[in-house]
Amino acid sequence: MTQDNKERITVEIYNKKYNIVGEESASHVKLVASLVDQKMHEIQDANRHLDTANLAVLTAINTMNDYLKLKEDYASLLGSMKRKEDN
């Protein structure tokens, strides 16, 4: 995809604006940004002493942990479906 076909959108995460350029729709980028913002505020509410950099890293770690759990659950589900097909 060429640069001209990419979506450009400004989002706000944790009270800071970011210009995002990518192939995803504007609504998808807004959703992702909103979820990141929510997660940062959730973690900050539980850990008021964190500065923004540490908060961002902790948010990334929590998000990746959630992603890996979902990926494992998905693989397990696919395995279960395959076993049912084989029977």
Side-chain angles (χ1 to χ4, degrees):
M1 181 174 258
T2 66
Q3 186 73 9
D4 294 336
N5 295 336
K6 292 189 177 182
E7 292 280 338
R8 292 169 178 77
I9 186 157
T10 301
V11 297
E12 188 172 317
I13 301 171
Y14 206 68
N15 303 317
K16 183 173 179 181
K17 292 187 185 288
Y18 295 90
N19 294 313
I20 308 293
V21 179
E23 297 177 5
E24 300 294 341
S25 69
S27 62
H28 180 80
V29 173
K30 287 179 183 179
L31 175 61
V32 170
S34 174
L35 293 171
V36 171
D37 184 65
Q38 287 175 9
K39 181 61 96 173
M40 288 185 77
H41 283 284
E42 176 186 314
I43 292 171
Q44 196 274 332
D45 286 346
N47 301 281
R48 296 227 173 249
H49 65 280
L50 291 176
D51 62 19
T52 304
N54 285 322
L55 177 59
V57 170
L58 193 54
T59 300
I61 289 169
N62 275 266
T63 302
M64 189 54 61
N65 181 57
D66 292 346
Y67 168 76
L68 289 174
K69 284 180 181 178
L70 286 171
K71 191 173 176 183
E72 289 168 1
D73 289 348
Y74 178 71
S76 177
L77 179 61
L78 286 178
S80 294
M81 291 173 61
K82 175 130 177 61
R83 283 191 298 277
K84 284 183 181 181
E85 289 175 358
D86 292 344
N87 291 332

